[in-house]
Amino acid sequence: MFRNKSKLKSILQFVFVFLLVCFALFVTYYGQEVRRYNTTILAFNYSYGFISRGLLGTLYLGLDALIPKDILNYVDTANITFIATNVIMGIFFFLVLYILFKTSEKYLNGAQNIILFFAVFFVPMYYSLRNMGRPDIYMLFLTFLGLILIIWGKMEWLIIPFSILNVMIHQGYVFMFYNIFMYPLIYKIFQTTGKQRKKYIAILGTSFLSVSVLFLYFNFFSHISGQETYNAIYAMAAQLGNGGEVYETLLTHEILGIDPWDQEWPQHIYNFIELPIYCLLMSPFIVLGVRLFKNIILAAETKTDKIKYALFPLCSATILPCYILKIDFGRWIFAGLAYFALVILVLYALHDEIVTEQIEKLIADVQAKYSYAPLLLVYAATTIPLHDIHINEIMRSISEWLDSYLHIIA
Amino acid sequence: MSDSCTKKNLISFLPALAAFALVCFIRHFKFTMSTYNTTLLALSYEYGFLPRGLIGTLFHWVTETFDHIEWNYMGAFNFSGAFTLLYFILLFVFYKVCLNHCTEESKRNLKHLLVFLSIFAFPMYTTSVNFGCLDLYLGIILLLCLILLVWNKAEWLIVPLGIIGMCINHDFIFTHAMLIGVLLIYKLLNQQGNKRIKYALILLFFLIASLSLFSHFENYTYESSTEIANEIKVSAKALSESGNSYGKTYLDEEILGNDLSLSASRLDQNEDNLQDLPVFLVLFSPYLVAMFYLFLRLSGDSDTTKAKRISYLIVLLGSVCILPMLFNDVYYGRYMFQLVFYYIACFITFISLGDNRVSNCFDLMKTDMKKLTPMTFVWFLYPFLLTPFRAVAISSSIHDLAEVIFTELTYFIQP
């Protein structure tokens, strides 16, 4: 790994730049607060039964029991969330390093571009006001660990428990991030034969079945009712929230099973306004992405390879039910970005020649043709951080401004 | 690259920047104008030839002439919005003039510099603290002067533009005039015969006019200052967003002549400045080092004439004109923006005027940058993340970091 001095030098130079950019992202977007949604969810725990989203709260209660200090208050919750976020960022950094060392030297430039592009969205997302402490980052933590195993090629069976744990953190994992394991496993099924192929089919099949069953259970059978339970969880959430704030919609939906659709309809309107405008804003990247996948599929020689690469963008469609049923469009957009970026990076580490070659060509082409190419990543950075209900600050400004004139919601 | 590719590239460059400008505007614009900036519109020459009175006088005239612009917050807001739009238009005119005048070989470097300038210039006057501030109007004057200097036509207009700049805000002499002055000196030193005399005269009249007006405004005393302050207070309240507030600090200090240098809020602001500045210098040190080496290369090039060497040295040192503002006032965000704008605009103007040495040195600098940091676009991304520049605070992120470093040792959550 360290014998190739020029590759090592290139990686070290990139690491310096990467850390500088991540530092600038942190300093600019750190929100210094954990909001009520993200503290309320820690009040859910398995003492009330095997309820959805109960894993994090259970672990937190366990931590409270383990350490001598009472941490069931906002300040400690926020501090521990901050520490956990930093640890997960550290795991992400390790994943980045691992991918870079596994990538061929001639394709390092492309991998570094993708890493920076993803970091620009990822780092501010989970340090910012709306999303710090969001269960999504804990799901990504296990996802990063799983990806390290996929690249390493050992103990890949651990993807099954990782997927199960992720659904226990948040049943939305099935739509949001499961595809980040799913496609690399599909890819390995295509790439291997015999026992190896059977192994990957078994891992994919078992994990898919497990997460599907758990999702159905959590969505339809795990709601507990009773005012006493609601009151107990409410009291705990108030203890953990900043100034006693509680996100009541979450409690009524998850504990009492009340559908928030009517209550959330105004936010759906905002979503319908914001999504097409956001797609227009990000159209340069969408165009480049479509071009990339077209070239990848064209470059594939056999029909099997073409199917293998066509499944790559298709697997991103698992997020569609979230767009239809739920309002957190900022999080769904990030999930889509995370899928493409992380899977491409895994393919770099697995030495996929076609994907890496096409990305290098695309980057070289864009840099040669357009003198404003340096602006592309800066332009992407104008749209961060992604929020939750509103996609980002720009979209929030536009949709609220439009609503002030058109009175769509009021 | 084929001719058709180059033409397409040129055609798409400015629209791409325009799209970036629009996104920056939407991102940073908060649909609000600060009370300090609305108060300045209440000043007027009806109270005498007072400092900072020109824009207020213009606003008075506009509200009296045009019925749909009223003497209220929305009128002030729309007035400032119109000039903000003008600022953006002039910025793009400046870019176009520069692109039209530079050589083909230097075009790529020029475009990179224009992109780099845009990162700072686009969001600057759209934030809530800087929207409608007097620096916006000074920026318009500066851009007009730069356009004339690159265009090489009607450069004598720099003198009346300088006068207008001084009437807008007499701090113009320290914050913006330095750029015009050094570029006039650059042109003077690199011309011969009648053209040299022309630039010498323009520079001379520019300096005489600026210094005279500075002396007048700096020593201006108000007759019946209390009455004027009360009248301005009533007018300023009508312009504020709440309808009931005004820039008390400005009236107390500038019109009533009270010394607020030892007031609690001024001391806090000074403390913020002293904390923000070293953090800013450390975070932007790669750019300072790059700029220093660029000037070394420019001066050390064996083909560089003595006249050019002197003019590069004057450009390097010309920014010290801003030092009085750093000692006497608190708007470090605006001054840092002016410094950044100064250096980038100097290089842009040099390349546009056909100084291929600057372009060649940029090529060498980019080669060195690629050796240090394989992803050179990070040099554009990094400053974008740490800006926009604000008014007193240099930028929000730099100020927050400075607070952590100097005030709090732990960066944990505040209940």
Side-chain angles (χ1 to χ4, degrees), chain A residues 13 28 367 371 382 384, chain B residues 9 27 108 111 371 385 412:
Chain A
Q13 283 170 345
T28 306
Q367 283 174 344
S371 47
T382 59
I384 60 173
Chain B
N9 194 351
R27 182 191 159 87
R108 198 170 177 85
K111 283 179 181 176
K371 287 180 196 163
L385 296 175
F412 283 85

Side-chain angles (χ1 to χ4, degrees), chain B residues 66-360:
Chain B
F66 300 100
D67 291 333
H68 57 275
I69 298 188
E70 293 175 0
W71 187 268
N72 56 26
Y73 174 73
M74 280 318 297
F77 184 91
N78 291 334
F79 179 83
S80 304
F83 278 95
T84 306
L85 180 61
L86 179 61
Y87 167 78
F88 276 99
I89 291 170
L90 285 175
L91 208 47
F92 277 90
V93 169
F94 173 57
Y95 289 178
K96 188 83 174 87
V97 166
C98 289
L99 287 167
N100 284 347
H101 280 78
C102 86
T103 59
E104 276 309 308
E105 302 81 47
S106 307
K107 227 157 216 154
R108 198 170 177 85
N109 287 331
L110 179 65
K111 283 179 181 176
H112 286 161
L113 277 171
L114 293 178
V115 167
F116 193 58
L117 179 65
S118 303
I119 286 167
F120 303 102
F122 285 166
M124 180 63 189
Y125 298 115
T126 58
T127 58
S128 54
V129 285
N130 289 324
F131 176 65
C133 72
L134 290 182
D135 279 28
L136 165 71
Y137 306 96
L138 295 182
I140 289 170
I141 299 295
L142 182 62
L143 285 169
L144 285 168
C145 293
L146 290 174
I147 289 166
L148 294 173
L149 284 168
V150 174
W151 197 23
N152 285 318
K153 288 190 170 124
E155 284 157 304
W156 60 269
L157 282 170
I158 285 172
V159 178
L161 284 171
I163 292 170
I164 294 171
M166 290 301 292
C167 292
I168 291 171
N169 186 350
H170 55 287
D171 294 337
F172 175 80
I173 197 170
F174 298 119
T175 56
H176 295 70
M178 58 187 182
L179 176 54
I180 300 166
V182 298
L183 290 175
L184 283 170
I185 292 172
Y186 172 83
K187 283 194 137 188
L188 186 155
L189 289 174
N190 292 286
Q191 300 285 350
Q192 303 293 336
N194 282 341
K195 283 197 173 167
R196 185 176 263 204
I197 296 170
K198 174 183 110 178
Y199 288 117
L201 285 172
I202 293 172
L203 181 62
L204 182 68
F205 285 122
F206 178 75
L207 285 174
I208 290 171
S210 301
L211 287 168
S212 310
L213 282 168
F214 180 78
S215 176
H216 164 76
F217 289 130
E218 192 65 9
N219 298 311
Y220 187 87
T221 51
Y222 291 83
E223 291 173 11
S224 23
S225 59
T226 315
E227 266 175 51
I228 292 173
N230 286 336
E231 278 183 44
I232 292 174
K233 195 197 299 187
V234 170
S235 304
K237 279 183 178 179
L239 294 178
S240 66
E241 194 170 5
S242 64
N244 206 23
S245 47
Y246 65 99
K248 191 174 185 303
T249 320
Y250 183 82
L251 292 188
D252 280 350
E253 206 171 19
E254 298 292 333
I255 296 177
L256 297 173
N258 296 332
D259 181 8
L260 298 180
S261 57
L262 294 175
S263 67
S265 63
R266 180 59 59 88
L267 289 173
D268 280 342
Q269 288 173 330
N270 286 333
E271 194 182 325
D272 287 343
N273 293 153
L274 290 175
Q275 290 175 1
D276 286 3
L277 188 60
V279 173
F280 169 75
L281 291 173
V282 167
L283 290 178
F284 278 75
S285 55
Y287 299 92
L288 294 173
V289 169
M291 191 186 68
F292 177 70
Y293 274 110
L294 181 64
F295 274 107
L296 268 183
R297 258 207 182 104
L298 278 171
S299 309
D301 188 348
S302 56
D303 291 336
T304 309
T305 60
K306 190 180 174 184
K308 274 229 156 61
R309 227 168 261 165
I310 294 171
S311 52
Y312 293 147
L313 188 63
I314 290 172
V315 166
L316 178 63
L317 299 175
S319 60
V320 300
C321 291
I322 207 156
L323 281 178
M325 301 309 301
L326 295 179
F327 288 121
N328 287 330
D329 217 330
V330 294
Y331 296 104
Y332 274 39
R334 294 183 190 156
Y335 306 149
M336 292 306 116
F337 170 72
Q338 284 314 317
L339 278 175
V340 167
F341 190 98
Y342 168 85
Y343 283 109
I344 303 173
C346 276
F347 293 128
I348 288 171
T349 311
F350 292 160
I351 292 176
S352 308
L353 292 174
D355 191 338
N356 287 329
R357 243 168 243 94
V358 175
S359 188
N360 294 339

Side-chain angles (χ1 to χ4, degrees), chain A residues 271-286:
Chain A
N271 295 154
F272 301 148
I273 296 171
E274 290 177 17
L275 185 61
I277 299 173
Y278 185 75
C279 289
L280 184 66
L281 206 67
M282 297 300 271
S283 54
F285 300 100
I286 296 172

Side-chain angles (χ1 to χ4, degrees), chain A residues 121-167:
Chain A
F121 288 91
F122 174 58
V123 172
M125 178 86 178
Y126 296 109
Y127 276 118
S128 66
L129 206 57
R130 280 166 188 78
N131 290 314
M132 192 156 116
R134 187 72 72 164
D136 302 8
I137 196 170
Y138 302 104
M139 294 191 281
L140 281 171
F141 164 66
L142 290 171
T143 304
F144 293 153
L145 292 180
L147 290 179
I148 290 169
L149 298 175
I150 288 175
I151 297 168
W152 192 24
K154 293 188 172 131
M155 298 203 297
E156 286 153 302
W157 58 269
L158 280 170
I159 285 165
I160 302 167
F162 285 168
S163 304
I164 291 169
L165 287 171
N166 273 338
V167 182

